[in-house]
């Protein structure tokens, strides 16, 4: 019998060491290094059936490679299709991460119940009865979805050979274990080995595999960072459990853009696709209140109108507070410094609170102008009109800089019934006969003069 081989892994970042030590050199965390058994059996984890032939790759000139578009599998979910880049690519591996209870399992079960393809949903966390109860709430009629509760990869592959599914969903990768590694499920070596087995299976059979991954307290996907490198697509499902809206982002995508965004509304019958997110991100109020401004932003190819709320008040304590939700705090400090130095607004002794409504986080610099308008509106206690919106970046000298795809932003504002939009005068705009009034500005002082003058 061969001697067992062991090595040491950091349970936080996955770094490997020959011996134990107190602190990880990679992530600088203490007491995270643990010993794991890595002795493998002399056998392969996945064997294709005899009817399948192994592809033998050979070098080709780049002009000889077939460049025809890969046929994608429609998920019947418009938001997921958009984030993936048009659908699921056969043979790809997709990793979906998110907070506990955010709706990862609900989303994938909902999709597997609606797919026109034969789907195998493997759960290592719930029983078949628990999944059945949730499935009846979402979509009680489905003939293409098979439910399996199993955590051992060898047994899963045995059932895959019997059922021959078109798509495999694993919930979750942290619960799987293989006979080839003797450490516990969820350990660094188990996650790496089981993922490698699933990748080999997906590439040899051309069957896509979707994995659900747990996340750490820092919001990163649990397990070694190599897990995210191994898969083809990494999706992040985020949102506050106190809000009904959920946001699906792509952190890595080998087959599409990572700038796209999918928005869902959590309901009793599952997750509903939100086709027009601007309506949910803007408050519906009758009276006009100070400290509110509407920004025109872009997420991927999708234009969004979002509401910026600001509250400026006299500082109660010696040091004024600067608090943001959904917006970069350092950028807010920069804008406040520009308002003080370049435009002459005395905000150094005042508390400033900023909020992006709807629980969404935005890093588009084009919302700077709306942030400025909201802060000045709250400071002057004068409301900005409900039919006015903004799209412009603020520079350090107080100038309003041009933003990309401004015409698409203007058209979205016009479609939603806005009467006026403030943009940089340095933007080249080719729109003619527009129903919306386009106000061209070059400095913060001009914006303040036209709004509160």
């Amino acid at each position: 019998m061969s001697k067992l081989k062991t090595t040491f892994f950091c349970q936080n970042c996955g770094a490997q060491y020959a011996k134990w030590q107190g602190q990880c050199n990679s992530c600088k965390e203490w007491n995270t290094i643990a010993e794991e058994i890595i002795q493998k059996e002399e056998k392969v984890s996945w064997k294709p059936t005899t009817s399948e032939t192994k592809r033998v790759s050979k070098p080709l000139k780049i002009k000889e490679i077939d460049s025809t578009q890969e046929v994608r599998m429609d998920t019947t979910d418009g938001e997921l299709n958009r984030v993936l880049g048009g659908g699921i690519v056969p043979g790809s591996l997709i990793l979906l991460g998110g907070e506990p209870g955010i709706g990862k399992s609900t989303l994938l079960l909902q999709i597997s119940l609606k797919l026109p393809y034969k789907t195998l949903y493997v759960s290592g966390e719930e029983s078949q009865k628990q999944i059945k109860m949730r499935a009846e709430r979402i979509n009680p009629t489905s003939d293409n979805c098979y439910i399996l509760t199993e955590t051992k990869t060898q047994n899963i592959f045995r059932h895959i050979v019997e059922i021959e599914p078109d798509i495999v969903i694993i919930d979750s990768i942290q619960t799987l274990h293989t006979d080839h590694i003797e450490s516990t499920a969820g350990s660094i070596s188990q996650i790496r080995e089981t993922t490698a087995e699933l990748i080999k299976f997906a590439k040899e059979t051309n069957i896509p595999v979707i994995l659900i991954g747990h996340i750490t307290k820092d919001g990163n996907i649990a397990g070694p960072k190599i897990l995210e490198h191994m898969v083809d697509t990494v999706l992040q499902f985020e949102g506050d459990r106190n809000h009904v809206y959920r946001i699906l982002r792509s952190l890595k995508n080998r087959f599409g853009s990572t700038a796209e965004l999918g928005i869902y509304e959590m309901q009793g019958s599952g997750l509903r696709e939100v086709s027009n997110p601007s309506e949910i991100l803007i408050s519906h109020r009758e009276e006009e209140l100070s400290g509110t401004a509407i920004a025109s932003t872009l997420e991927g190819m999708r234009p969004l109108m979002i509401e910026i709320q600001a509250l400026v008040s006299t500082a109660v304590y010696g040091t004024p507070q600067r608090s943001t939700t959904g917006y970069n705090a350092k950028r807010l400090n920069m804008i406040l410094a520009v308002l003080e130095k370049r435009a002459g607004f005395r905000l150094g002794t005042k508390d400033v609170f900023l909020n992006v409504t709807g629980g969404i986080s935005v890093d588009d610099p084009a919302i700077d102008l709306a942030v400025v308008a909201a802060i000045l509106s709250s400071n002057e206690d004068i409301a900005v009109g409900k039919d006015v919106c903004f799209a412009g970046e603020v520079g350090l000298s107080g100038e309003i800089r041009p933003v990309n795809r401004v015409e698409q932003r203007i058209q979205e504002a016009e479609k939603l019934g806005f009467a006026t939009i403030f943009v940089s005068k340095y933007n080249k705009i080719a729109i003619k006969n527009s129903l919306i009034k386009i106000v061209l500005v070059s400095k913060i002082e001009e914006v303040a003069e036209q709004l509160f003058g």
Side-chain angles (χ1 to χ4, degrees), residues 338 342-343 369 372 390-403 421-427 438-450:
V338 171
R342 303 294 184 188
L369 194 53
V372 167
F390 304 86
E393 180 184 354
V394 175
L396 288 178
S397 61
E399 82 278 14
I400 310 301
R401 299 174 58 83
V403 295
I421 184 169
F422 283 75
V423 297
S424 171
K425 79 172 190 179
Y426 304 111
N427 265 117
I438 302 171
V439 180
L440 303 176
V441 289
S442 61
K443 289 190 175 181
I444 292 175
E445 298 93 308
E446 294 178 28
V447 180
E449 179 68 27
Q450 298 217 34

Side-chain angles (χ1 to χ4, degrees), residues 221-379:
I221 293 175
K225 196 69 177 175
I226 195 173
L227 175 63
E228 295 176 51
H229 291 290
M230 292 166 76
V231 300
D232 297 307
T233 305
V234 179
L235 304 180
Q236 183 82 13
F237 205 38
E238 57 191 45
D240 191 340
R241 278 187 288 179
N242 299 320
H243 288 83
V244 295
Y245 301 111
R246 304 285 187 268
I247 297 166
L248 185 66
R249 298 181 187 273
S250 175
L251 305 181
K252 170 192 175 181
N253 193 353
R254 287 175 178 159
F255 310 112
S257 169
T258 57
E260 294 296 346
L261 186 79
I263 299 181
Y264 295 88
E265 181 183 1
M266 179 63 84
Q267 296 180 337
S269 58
L271 291 156
R272 181 185 72 87
E273 301 171 44
V274 178
S275 56
N276 187 7
S278 297
E279 293 180 359
I280 67 166
L281 297 173
I282 298 175
S283 301
H284 300 285
R285 60 188 189 279
E286 297 298 325
E287 72 281 1
E288 292 187 349
L289 300 172
S290 64
T292 301
I294 308 297
S296 178
T297 183
L298 288 172
E299 285 285 350
M301 298 299 293
R302 167 186 278 188
L304 301 176
M305 307 300 290
I306 60 172
E307 183 176 317
I308 310 292
Q309 294 179 335
L311 178 63
V312 179
S313 62
T314 305
V316 179
Y317 308 103
T319 305
Q321 298 181 71
R322 304 283 189 257
S323 178
T324 65
T325 304
Y327 187 71
N328 191 308
K330 291 182 179 178
R331 194 157 187 86
L332 172 64
N333 289 330
M334 184 203 80
I335 288 176
L336 293 175
V338 171
L339 287 171
E340 181 113 12
K341 177 79 173 178
R342 303 294 184 188
F345 293 97
R346 302 300 172 203
L347 301 171
T349 59
K350 296 187 177 181
D351 293 336
V352 179
F353 304 94
L354 194 75
N355 177 44
V356 179
T357 60
I360 188 173
S361 297
V362 184
D363 55 5
D364 183 4
I367 71 170
D368 288 353
L369 194 53
V371 170
V372 167
I375 291 170
L376 296 182
S377 170
S378 180
N379 187 51

Side-chain angles (χ1 to χ4, degrees), residues 5-167:
K5 292 183 181 178
T6 63
T7 190
F8 294 84
F9 290 101
C10 172
Q11 303 301 307
N12 185 54
C13 68
Q16 185 174 347
Y17 297 94
K19 62 180 181 178
W20 185 88
Q21 59 188 56
Q23 186 186 33
C24 175
N25 296 333
S26 298
C27 64
K28 305 302 180 185
E29 290 290 324
W30 288 91
N31 299 321
T32 57
I33 297 173
E35 185 178 18
E36 293 184 13
I37 300 169
I38 59 167
Q39 179 65 46
K40 295 184 182 179
E41 295 181 21
E42 293 298 321
K43 61 179 181 181
V44 294
S45 55
W46 161 254
K47 267 188 182 175
T49 56
T50 53
S51 60
E52 293 167 342
T53 55
K54 268 197 165 184
R55 294 172 296 174
V56 180
S57 58
K58 62 176 182 177
L60 291 172
K61 292 181 180 177
I62 193 163
K63 62 182 180 181
E64 296 174 352
I65 300 172
D66 183 15
S67 61
T68 55
Q69 193 72 25
E70 184 82 51
V71 178
R72 293 177 183 256
M73 304 170 77
D74 183 13
T75 65
T76 70
D77 185 304
E79 299 297 299
L80 182 59
N81 280 346
R82 177 188 289 110
V83 175
L84 290 174
I88 300 173
V89 175
S92 64
L93 216 76
I94 300 166
L95 177 63
L96 174 65
E99 292 275 350
I102 205 72
K104 304 183 296 295
S105 301
T106 301
L107 175 66
L108 292 187
L109 180 61
Q110 177 177 307
I111 290 165
S112 61
L113 292 170
K114 294 178 181 177
L115 280 171
Y117 309 101
K118 189 187 290 187
T119 308
L120 178 62
Y121 186 97
V122 182
S123 177
E125 299 178 341
E126 296 177 288
S127 68
Q128 290 175 319
K129 287 185 178 179
Q130 287 176 306
I131 298 170
K132 169 72 172 175
M133 289 166 61
R134 190 145 40 93
E136 286 182 338
R137 194 177 73 242
I138 298 170
N139 182 14
T141 57
S142 176
D143 294 329
N144 292 323
C145 183
Y146 293 80
I147 306 296
L148 172 65
T149 54
E150 181 60 65
T151 58
K152 190 175 174 182
T153 55
Q154 283 72 26
N155 294 341
I156 292 171
F157 290 135
R158 198 174 298 121
H159 288 293
I160 286 173
V161 172
E162 294 172 5
I163 297 173
E164 296 183 350
D166 299 314
I167 295 178

